[in-house]
Coordinates of all heavy atoms in Angstrom, one line a residue:
M199 N 4.0 2.7 -27.6 CA 3.3 3.5 -26.6 C 2.9 2.7 -25.4 O 2.3 1.6 -25.6 CB 2.1 4.1 -27.3 CG 1.4 5.2 -26.5 SD 1.5 6.6 -27.5 CE 2.2 7.9 -26.6
L200 N 3.3 3.1 -24.2 CA 3.0 2.4 -23.0 C 1.6 2.8 -22.4 O 1.3 4.0 -22.5 CB 4.1 2.6 -22.0 CG 5.5 2.2 -22.3 CD1 6.4 2.6 -21.2 CD2 5.5 0.7 -22.5
N201 N 0.9 1.9 -21.9 CA -0.4 2.3 -21.3 C -0.2 2.5 -19.8 O 1.0 2.5 -19.3 CB -1.4 1.2 -21.5 CG -1.1 -0.1 -20.9 OD1 -0.3 -0.2 -20.0 ND2 -1.7 -1.2 -21.4
K202 N -1.2 2.9 -19.1 CA -1.1 3.2 -17.7 C -0.6 2.1 -16.8 O 0.3 2.4 -16.0 CB -2.6 3.6 -17.2 CG -2.6 4.2 -15.8 CD -4.1 4.3 -15.5 CE -4.4 5.7 -15.0 NZ -5.8 5.8 -14.6
R203 N -1.0 0.9 -17.1 CA -0.5 -0.2 -16.3 C 1.0 -0.5 -16.5 O 1.8 -0.7 -15.6 CB -1.3 -1.5 -16.6 CG -0.9 -2.7 -15.8 CD -1.9 -3.8 -16.0 NE -1.7 -4.9 -15.0 CZ -0.8 -5.8 -15.2 NH1 0.0 -5.9 -16.2 NH2 -0.7 -6.8 -14.3
Q204 N 1.5 -0.3 -17.7 CA 2.9 -0.5 -18.0 C 3.7 0.6 -17.4 O 4.8 0.3 -16.9 CB 3.1 -0.6 -19.6 CG 2.5 -1.8 -20.2 CD 2.5 -1.8 -21.7 OE1 2.3 -0.7 -22.3 NE2 2.6 -2.9 -22.3
H205 N 3.3 1.8 -17.4 CA 4.0 2.9 -16.7 C 4.1 2.6 -15.2 O 5.1 2.8 -14.6 CB 3.3 4.2 -16.9 CG 3.6 4.9 -18.2 ND1 4.8 5.4 -18.5 CD2 2.8 5.1 -19.3 CE1 4.8 5.9 -19.7 NE2 3.6 5.8 -20.2
R206 N 3.0 2.1 -14.6 CA 3.0 1.8 -13.2 C 4.0 0.7 -12.9 O 4.8 0.7 -11.9 CB 1.6 1.3 -12.7 CG 1.5 1.2 -11.2 CD 0.1 0.7 -10.8 NE -0.2 -0.6 -11.1 CZ 0.2 -1.7 -10.4 NH1 1.0 -1.5 -9.3 NH2 -0.1 -2.9 -10.7
I207 N 4.1 -0.3 -13.7 CA 5.0 -1.4 -13.5 C 6.5 -1.0 -13.7 O 7.4 -1.4 -12.9 CB 4.7 -2.6 -14.5 CG1 3.4 -3.3 -14.1 CG2 5.8 -3.6 -14.5 CD1 2.9 -4.2 -15.1
K208 N 6.8 -0.1 -14.7 CA 8.1 0.5 -14.8 C 8.5 1.3 -13.6 O 9.6 1.1 -13.1 CB 8.2 1.4 -16.1 CG 8.4 0.6 -17.4 CD 8.5 1.5 -18.5 CE 9.7 2.4 -18.4 NZ 10.0 3.1 -19.6
R209 N 7.6 2.1 -13.1 CA 7.9 2.9 -11.9 C 8.1 2.0 -10.7 O 9.0 2.2 -9.9 CB 6.7 3.8 -11.7 CG 6.9 4.8 -10.6 CD 5.8 5.9 -10.5 NE 4.5 5.3 -10.4 CZ 3.5 5.3 -11.4 NH1 3.8 6.0 -12.5 NH2 2.4 4.8 -11.2
H210 N 7.3 0.9 -10.6 CA 7.4 0.0 -9.5 C 8.8 -0.7 -9.5 O 9.5 -0.8 -8.5 CB 6.3 -1.1 -9.6 CG 6.4 -2.2 -8.7 ND1 6.0 -2.1 -7.4 CD2 6.9 -3.5 -8.8 CE1 6.2 -3.3 -6.8 NE2 6.8 -4.1 -7.6
N211 N 9.3 -1.1 -10.7 CA 10.6 -1.8 -10.8 C 11.7 -0.8 -10.5 O 12.7 -1.2 -9.9 CB 10.7 -2.3 -12.2 CG 9.9 -3.5 -12.5 OD1 9.5 -4.3 -11.5 ND2 9.5 -3.8 -13.7
R212 N 11.6 0.5 -10.9 CA 12.6 1.5 -10.6 C 12.7 1.7 -9.1 O 13.8 1.8 -8.6 CB 12.2 2.8 -11.3 CG 13.3 3.8 -11.3 CD 13.0 5.0 -12.3 NE 11.7 5.6 -12.0 CZ 10.7 5.6 -12.9 NH1 10.8 5.1 -14.1 NH2 9.6 6.3 -12.6
V213 N 11.6 1.8 -8.4 CA 11.7 1.9 -7.0 C 12.2 0.7 -6.3 O 13.1 0.8 -5.4 CB 10.2 2.2 -6.4 CG1 10.2 2.2 -4.9 CG2 9.8 3.6 -6.9
R214 N 11.8 -0.5 -6.7 CA 12.3 -1.7 -6.1 C 13.8 -1.9 -6.3 O 14.5 -2.6 -5.5 CB 11.6 -3.0 -6.8 CG 10.1 -3.1 -6.4 CD 9.8 -3.7 -5.1 NE 10.4 -5.0 -4.9 CZ 9.9 -6.2 -5.1 NH1 8.7 -6.2 -5.6 NH2 10.5 -7.3 -4.8
A215 N 14.4 -1.4 -7.4 CA 15.8 -1.5 -7.6 C 16.6 -0.6 -6.6 O 17.7 -1.0 -6.3 CB 16.2 -1.0 -9.0
K216 N 16.0 0.4 -6.1 CA 16.7 1.4 -5.2 C 16.4 1.1 -3.7 O 17.3 1.4 -2.9 CB 16.3 2.8 -5.6 CG 16.7 3.3 -6.9 CD 16.3 4.6 -7.2 CE 16.6 5.1 -8.6 NZ 16.1 6.4 -8.9
I217 N 15.2 0.6 -3.4 CA 14.8 0.5 -2.0 C 14.6 -0.9 -1.7 O 13.8 -1.7 -2.4 CB 13.5 1.3 -1.8 CG1 13.7 2.8 -2.1 CG2 13.0 1.2 -0.4 CD1 12.4 3.6 -2.1
K218 N 15.2 -1.4 -0.6 CA 15.0 -2.7 -0.1 C 14.5 -2.6 1.4 O 15.1 -1.9 2.2 CB 16.3 -3.5 -0.1 CG 16.9 -3.7 -1.5 CD 16.1 -4.7 -2.3 CE 16.7 -4.9 -3.6 NZ 15.8 -5.2 -4.7
G219 N 13.5 -3.3 1.7 CA 12.9 -3.3 3.1 C 13.5 -4.4 3.9 O 13.8 -5.5 3.3
T220 N 13.7 -4.2 5.1 CA 14.2 -5.3 6.0 C 13.1 -5.5 7.1 O 12.1 -4.8 7.2 CB 15.5 -4.9 6.7 OG1 15.3 -3.7 7.5 CG2 16.6 -4.6 5.7
T221 N 13.4 -6.4 8.0 CA 12.5 -6.7 9.1 C 12.3 -5.4 10.0 O 11.3 -5.1 10.4 CB 12.9 -7.9 9.9 OG1 13.1 -9.0 9.0 CG2 11.9 -8.3 10.9
G222 N 13.5 -4.8 10.3 CA 13.5 -3.6 11.2 C 12.9 -2.4 10.5 O 12.2 -1.6 11.1
I223 N 13.3 -2.2 9.3 CA 12.8 -1.0 8.5 C 12.2 -1.6 7.2 O 12.8 -1.7 6.2 CB 13.9 -0.1 8.2 CG1 14.7 0.3 9.4 CG2 13.4 1.1 7.4 CD1 15.9 1.1 9.2
P224 N 10.9 -1.8 7.2 CA 10.2 -2.4 6.0 C 9.9 -1.3 5.0 O 9.9 -0.2 5.2 CB 8.9 -3.0 6.6 CG 8.6 -2.2 7.8 CD 10.0 -1.8 8.4
R225 N 9.8 -1.8 3.7 CA 9.4 -1.0 2.6 C 7.9 -0.7 2.6 O 7.1 -1.6 2.9 CB 9.8 -1.6 1.3 CG 9.4 -0.9 0.1 CD 10.1 -1.5 -1.2 NE 9.8 -2.9 -1.3 CZ 8.8 -3.4 -2.0 NH1 8.0 -2.6 -2.7 NH2 8.6 -4.7 -2.2
V226 N 7.5 0.5 2.4 CA 6.0 0.8 2.3 C 5.6 0.8 0.9 O 6.2 1.5 0.0 CB 5.8 2.2 2.9 CG1 4.3 2.5 2.9 CG2 6.2 2.2 4.4
S227 N 4.6 0.0 0.6 CA 4.0 0.0 -0.8 C 2.6 0.5 -0.7 O 1.8 0.1 0.1 CB 4.0 -1.5 -1.3 OG 3.3 -1.6 -2.5
V228 N 2.3 1.5 -1.6 CA 1.0 2.1 -1.6 C 0.5 1.9 -3.0 O 1.1 2.2 -4.0 CB 1.1 3.6 -1.3 CG1 -0.3 4.3 -1.4 CG2 1.7 3.9 0.0
F229 N -0.8 1.4 -3.1 CA -1.5 1.3 -4.4 C -2.8 2.0 -4.2 O -3.6 1.7 -3.3 CB -1.7 -0.2 -4.8 CG -2.5 -0.3 -6.1 CD1 -1.9 0.0 -7.3 CD2 -3.8 -0.6 -6.0 CE1 -2.6 -0.1 -8.5 CE2 -4.6 -0.7 -7.2 CZ -4.0 -0.5 -8.4
R230 N -3.0 2.9 -5.1 CA -4.3 3.7 -5.1 C -5.1 3.4 -6.3 O -4.7 3.7 -7.4 CB -4.0 5.2 -5.0 CG -5.2 6.1 -4.9 CD -4.8 7.5 -4.8 NE -4.1 8.0 -6.0 CZ -4.7 8.4 -7.1 NH1 -6.0 8.5 -7.2 NH2 -3.9 8.8 -8.1
S231 N -6.2 2.8 -6.1 CA -7.1 2.6 -7.3 C -8.1 3.8 -7.3 O -8.0 4.7 -6.6 CB -7.9 1.3 -7.1 OG -8.8 1.4 -6.1
N232 N -9.0 3.7 -8.2 CA -10.0 4.8 -8.3 C -10.9 4.9 -7.1 O -11.4 5.9 -6.8 CB -10.9 4.6 -9.6 CG -10.1 4.9 -10.8 OD1 -9.1 5.7 -10.8 ND2 -10.5 4.4 -12.0
K233 N -11.1 3.7 -6.5 CA -12.1 3.7 -5.3 C -11.4 3.6 -4.0 O -11.9 4.1 -3.0 CB -13.1 2.6 -5.5 CG -14.1 2.8 -6.6 CD -15.1 1.7 -6.6 CE -16.1 1.9 -7.6 NZ -17.2 0.9 -7.6
H234 N -10.3 2.8 -3.9 CA -9.7 2.5 -2.6 C -8.2 2.7 -2.6 O -7.6 2.9 -3.6 CB -10.0 1.0 -2.3 CG -11.4 0.7 -2.3 ND1 -12.3 1.1 -1.3 CD2 -12.2 0.0 -3.2 CE1 -13.5 0.7 -1.6 NE2 -13.5 0.0 -2.7
I235 N -7.6 2.6 -1.4 CA -6.2 2.8 -1.2 C -5.7 1.5 -0.4 O -6.3 1.1 0.5 CB -5.8 4.1 -0.5 CG1 -4.3 4.3 -0.5 CG2 -6.4 4.2 0.9 CD1 -3.9 5.7 -0.1
F236 N -4.6 0.9 -0.9 CA -4.0 -0.3 -0.3 C -2.6 0.1 0.1 O -1.8 0.6 -0.7 CB -4.0 -1.4 -1.3 CG -5.3 -1.7 -1.9 CD1 -5.8 -1.0 -3.0 CD2 -6.1 -2.7 -1.3 CE1 -7.1 -1.3 -3.5 CE2 -7.4 -3.0 -1.9 CZ -7.8 -2.3 -3.0
V237 N -2.3 -0.2 1.4 CA -0.9 0.1 1.9 C -0.4 -1.2 2.6 O -1.1 -1.9 3.3 CB -1.0 1.2 2.9 CG1 0.4 1.6 3.4 CG2 -1.7 2.4 2.4
Q238 N 0.9 -1.5 2.3 CA 1.6 -2.6 2.9 C 3.0 -2.3 3.4 O 3.6 -1.4 2.8 CB 1.8 -3.7 1.8 CG 0.6 -4.2 1.2 CD 0.9 -5.2 0.1 OE1 2.1 -5.4 -0.3 NE2 -0.1 -5.9 -0.5
L239 N 3.4 -3.0 4.5 CA 4.8 -2.9 4.9 C 5.4 -4.2 4.5 O 4.9 -5.3 4.9 CB 4.8 -2.7 6.4 CG 4.4 -1.4 7.0 CD1 4.5 -1.3 8.5 CD2 5.1 -0.2 6.3
I240 N 6.5 -4.2 3.7 CA 7.0 -5.4 3.1 C 8.5 -5.6 3.6 O 9.3 -4.7 3.5 CB 7.0 -5.3 1.6 CG1 5.5 -5.1 1.1 CG2 7.6 -6.5 0.9 CD1 5.4 -4.7 -0.3
D241 N 8.8 -6.8 3.9 CA 10.2 -7.2 4.3 C 10.7 -7.9 3.0 O 10.3 -9.0 2.7 CB 10.2 -8.2 5.5 CG 11.6 -8.7 5.8 OD1 12.5 -8.2 5.2 OD2 11.7 -9.6 6.7
D242 N 11.6 -7.3 2.3 CA 12.2 -7.8 1.1 C 13.2 -8.9 1.3 O 13.4 -9.7 0.4 CB 12.8 -6.7 0.2 CG 11.8 -5.8 -0.4 OD1 10.8 -6.3 -0.9 OD2 12.0 -4.6 -0.4
S243 N 13.8 -9.0 2.5 CA 14.7 -10.1 2.7 C 14.0 -11.5 2.7 O 14.6 -12.5 2.3 CB 15.5 -9.8 4.0 OG 14.6 -9.7 5.1
T244 N 12.8 -11.5 3.3 CA 12.1 -12.7 3.3 C 11.0 -12.8 2.2 O 10.4 -13.8 1.9 CB 11.4 -13.0 4.6 OG1 10.5 -11.9 4.9 CG2 12.4 -13.1 5.7
G245 N 10.7 -11.6 1.6 CA 9.7 -11.6 0.5 C 8.3 -11.7 1.0 O 7.4 -12.2 0.4
K246 N 8.0 -11.2 2.3 CA 6.7 -11.3 2.9 C 6.1 -10.0 3.3 O 6.9 -9.0 3.6 CB 6.8 -12.2 4.1 CG 7.3 -13.6 3.8 CD 6.5 -14.6 4.5 CE 7.1 -16.0 4.2 NZ 6.2 -17.0 4.2
T247 N 4.8 -9.8 3.2 CA 4.2 -8.7 3.7 C 4.0 -8.8 5.2 O 3.5 -9.8 5.7 CB 2.8 -8.5 3.1 OG1 3.0 -8.4 1.7 CG2 2.0 -7.3 3.6
I248 N 4.5 -7.8 6.0 CA 4.4 -7.9 7.4 C 3.0 -7.5 7.9 O 2.3 -8.2 8.6 CB 5.5 -6.9 8.0 CG1 6.9 -7.4 7.6 CG2 5.4 -6.9 9.6 CD1 8.0 -6.4 7.9
V249 N 2.6 -6.3 7.5 CA 1.2 -5.8 7.8 C 0.6 -5.1 6.6 O 1.4 -4.6 5.8 CB 1.1 -4.9 9.0 CG1 1.4 -5.6 10.3 CG2 2.0 -3.7 8.9
S250 N -0.7 -5.1 6.5 CA -1.3 -4.3 5.4 C -2.6 -3.7 5.9 O -3.1 -4.1 6.9 CB -1.6 -5.3 4.2 OG -2.6 -6.2 4.6
S251 N -3.0 -2.7 5.2 CA -4.2 -2.0 5.5 C -4.9 -1.5 4.2 O -4.2 -1.2 3.2 CB -3.9 -0.7 6.4 OG -5.0 0.0 6.7
L252 N -6.2 -1.5 4.2 CA -6.9 -1.0 3.0 C -8.1 -0.2 3.4 O -8.7 -0.4 4.5 CB -7.2 -2.2 2.1 CG -8.1 -3.3 2.7 CD1 -9.1 -3.8 1.7 CD2 -7.1 -4.5 3.0
S253 N -8.5 0.7 2.5 CA -9.6 1.5 2.8 C -11.0 0.8 2.6 O -12.0 1.3 3.0 CB -9.6 2.8 1.9 OG -9.7 2.5 0.6
K254 N -10.9 -0.3 1.9 CA -12.1 -1.1 1.6 C -12.4 -2.0 2.8 O -11.6 -3.0 3.1 CB -11.9 -1.9 0.4 CG -13.2 -2.8 0.0 CD -13.0 -3.4 -1.3 CE -12.0 -4.6 -1.2 NZ -11.9 -5.4 -2.4
P255 N -13.4 -1.7 3.6 CA -13.6 -2.5 4.8 C -14.2 -3.9 4.5 O -14.8 -4.1 3.4 CB -14.6 -1.7 5.6 CG -15.3 -0.9 4.6 CD -14.4 -0.6 3.5
K256 N -14.1 -4.8 5.4 CA -14.7 -6.2 5.2 C -16.2 -6.2 5.4 O -16.9 -7.0 4.9 CB -14.0 -7.1 6.2 CG -12.5 -7.3 5.9 CD -11.9 -8.3 6.8 CE -10.4 -8.2 6.6 NZ -9.8 -9.4 6.1
K257 N -16.7 -5.2 6.1 CA -18.1 -5.1 6.3 C -18.7 -4.4 5.1 O -18.1 -3.9 4.2 CB -18.4 -4.2 7.5 CG -17.9 -4.8 8.8 CD -18.1 -3.9 9.9 CE -17.3 -4.3 11.2 NZ -17.3 -3.3 12.2
K258 N -20.1 -4.3 5.0 CA -20.8 -3.7 3.9 C -20.7 -2.2 4.0 O -20.9 -1.5 3.0 CB -22.2 -4.1 3.9 CG -22.4 -5.6 3.6 CD -22.3 -5.9 2.2 CE -22.5 -7.3 1.9 NZ -22.3 -7.7 0.5
T259 N -20.5 -1.6 5.1 CA -20.5 -0.1 5.3 C -19.1 0.4 4.9 O -18.1 0.1 5.5 CB -20.8 0.3 6.7 OG1 -19.8 -0.3 7.6 CG2 -22.2 -0.1 7.1
P260 N -19.0 1.3 3.8 CA -17.8 1.8 3.4 C -17.3 2.9 4.3 O -18.1 3.5 5.1 CB -18.1 2.3 2.0 CG -19.5 2.6 2.0 CD -20.1 1.7 3.0
M261 N -16.0 3.3 4.2 CA -15.5 4.4 4.9 C -16.1 5.7 4.4 O -16.3 5.8 3.2 CB -14.0 4.5 4.8 CG -13.2 3.4 5.6 SD -11.5 3.7 5.4 CE -10.9 3.3 7.0
R262 N -16.4 6.6 5.2 CA -17.0 7.9 4.8 C -16.0 9.0 4.9 O -15.1 9.0 5.7 CB -18.2 8.2 5.6 CG -19.2 7.1 5.6 CD -20.4 7.5 4.8 NE -21.4 6.5 4.9 CZ -22.1 6.0 3.9 NH1 -21.9 6.5 2.7 NH2 -23.0 5.1 4.0
G263 N -16.1 10.0 4.0 CA -15.3 11.2 4.1 C -14.6 11.5 2.8 O -14.9 10.8 1.8
T264 N -13.8 12.5 2.7 CA -13.1 12.8 1.5 C -12.0 11.8 1.3 O -11.6 11.0 2.2 CB -12.4 14.2 1.6 OG1 -11.5 14.2 2.7 CG2 -13.5 15.3 1.9
K265 N -11.4 11.9 0.1 CA -10.3 11.0 -0.2 C -9.1 11.1 0.8 O -8.5 10.2 1.2 CB -9.7 11.2 -1.6 CG -10.7 10.8 -2.7 CD -10.1 11.2 -4.0 CE -11.0 10.9 -5.2 NZ -10.4 11.3 -6.5
T266 N -8.8 12.4 1.2 CA -7.8 12.7 2.1 C -8.1 12.1 3.5 O -7.2 11.5 4.1 CB -7.6 14.2 2.2 OG1 -7.4 14.7 0.9 CG2 -6.4 14.5 3.1
E267 N -9.3 12.2 3.9 CA -9.7 11.6 5.2 C -9.6 10.1 5.2 O -9.1 9.5 6.2 CB -11.1 12.1 5.6 CG -11.2 13.6 5.9 CD -12.6 14.1 6.0 OE1 -13.5 13.3 5.6 OE2 -12.8 15.2 6.4
V268 N -10.0 9.5 4.1 CA -10.0 8.0 4.0 C -8.5 7.6 4.0 O -8.2 6.6 4.7 CB -10.8 7.6 2.8 CG1 -10.5 6.1 2.5 CG2 -12.2 7.8 3.0
A269 N -7.7 8.3 3.2 CA -6.2 7.9 3.2 C -5.6 8.1 4.5 O -4.8 7.2 5.0 CB -5.5 8.8 2.1
A270 N -5.9 9.1 5.3 CA -5.3 9.3 6.6 C -5.8 8.2 7.6 O -5.0 7.7 8.4 CB -5.7 10.7 7.2
A271 N -7.1 7.9 7.5 CA -7.6 6.8 8.4 C -6.9 5.5 8.0 O -6.6 4.7 8.9 CB -9.1 6.7 8.2
T272 N -6.6 5.2 6.7 CA -6.0 4.0 6.3 C -4.5 4.0 6.9 O -4.1 2.9 7.3 CB -6.0 3.8 4.8 OG1 -7.3 3.9 4.3 CG2 -5.3 2.5 4.3
G273 N -3.9 5.1 6.8 CA -2.5 5.2 7.4 C -2.5 5.0 8.9 O -1.5 4.4 9.4
E274 N -3.5 5.5 9.6 CA -3.5 5.3 11.0 C -3.7 3.9 11.4 O -3.2 3.3 12.3 CB -4.6 6.2 11.6 CG -4.3 7.7 11.6 CD -5.4 8.6 12.0 OE1 -6.5 8.0 12.4 OE2 -5.3 9.8 12.0
M275 N -4.6 3.2 10.6 CA -4.8 1.8 10.8 C -3.5 1.0 10.6 O -3.2 0.1 11.4 CB -5.9 1.2 9.9 CG -7.3 1.6 10.3 SD -8.6 0.7 9.3 CE -8.3 1.2 7.7
L276 N -2.8 1.3 9.5 CA -1.5 0.7 9.3 C -0.5 0.9 10.4 O 0.2 0.0 10.8 CB -0.9 1.1 7.9 CG 0.4 0.5 7.5 CD1 0.1 -1.0 7.0 CD2 1.1 1.2 6.5
A277 N -0.4 2.1 10.9 CA 0.5 2.4 12.0 C 0.1 1.6 13.2 O 1.0 1.1 13.9 CB 0.4 3.9 12.3
K278 N -1.2 1.5 13.5 CA -1.6 0.7 14.7 C -1.2 -0.7 14.6 O -0.7 -1.3 15.5 CB -3.1 0.9 14.9 CG -3.6 0.3 16.2 CD -5.0 0.6 16.4 CE -5.5 0.1 17.8 NZ -6.0 -1.3 17.8
K279 N -1.4 -1.3 13.4 CA -1.1 -2.7 13.1 C 0.4 -2.9 13.2 O 0.9 -3.9 13.7 CB -1.6 -3.1 11.8 CG -3.1 -3.3 11.7 CD -3.5 -3.8 10.3 CE -5.0 -3.9 10.1 NZ -5.3 -4.4 8.8
A280 N 1.2 -1.9 12.7 CA 2.7 -2.0 12.7 C 3.2 -2.0 14.2 O 4.1 -2.7 14.5 CB 3.3 -0.9 11.9
Q281 N 2.6 -1.1 15.0 CA 3.0 -1.1 16.4 C 2.7 -2.4 17.1 O 3.4 -2.9 17.9 CB 2.3 0.1 17.1 CG 2.9 1.4 16.8 CD 2.3 2.6 17.6 OE1 1.2 2.4 18.1 NE2 3.0 3.7 17.6
D282 N 1.5 -3.0 16.8 CA 1.2 -4.3 17.4 C 2.1 -5.4 16.9 O 2.4 -6.3 17.7 CB -0.3 -4.6 17.0 CG -1.3 -3.7 17.6 OD1 -1.0 -3.0 18.6 OD2 -2.5 -3.7 17.1
A283 N 2.7 -5.2 15.7 CA 3.6 -6.2 15.2 C 5.1 -5.9 15.7 O 6.0 -6.7 15.3 CB 3.6 -6.2 13.7
G284 N 5.3 -4.8 16.4 CA 6.6 -4.5 17.0 C 7.4 -3.7 16.1 O 8.7 -3.6 16.2
I285 N 6.8 -3.0 15.1 CA 7.6 -2.1 14.3 C 7.3 -0.6 14.7 O 6.1 -0.3 14.8 CB 7.2 -2.3 12.8 CG1 7.5 -3.7 12.4 CG2 7.9 -1.3 11.9 CD1 6.9 -4.1 11.1
S286 N 8.3 0.2 14.9 CA 8.1 1.6 15.3 C 8.5 2.5 14.1 O 9.3 2.2 13.3 CB 8.8 1.9 16.5 OG 10.2 1.7 16.3

């Protein structure tokens, strides 16, 4: 019987077998924990994360709003960082 973490790893490996990110078109990786959401743009040819964004701020004040609003704000932050890095 597989637990939750093992199911997530199997799903991760299945996606990684089919999708490869490049510098021009990076792969988007999303991890959602119970409290926060983590999003990365990954270049698989070099094995590096190009930009990342997370809903957990570095300051003490957390993001406010519903889960949907927090996820949308995290996506907007990632899009802004990607544009600054030259990815459209």
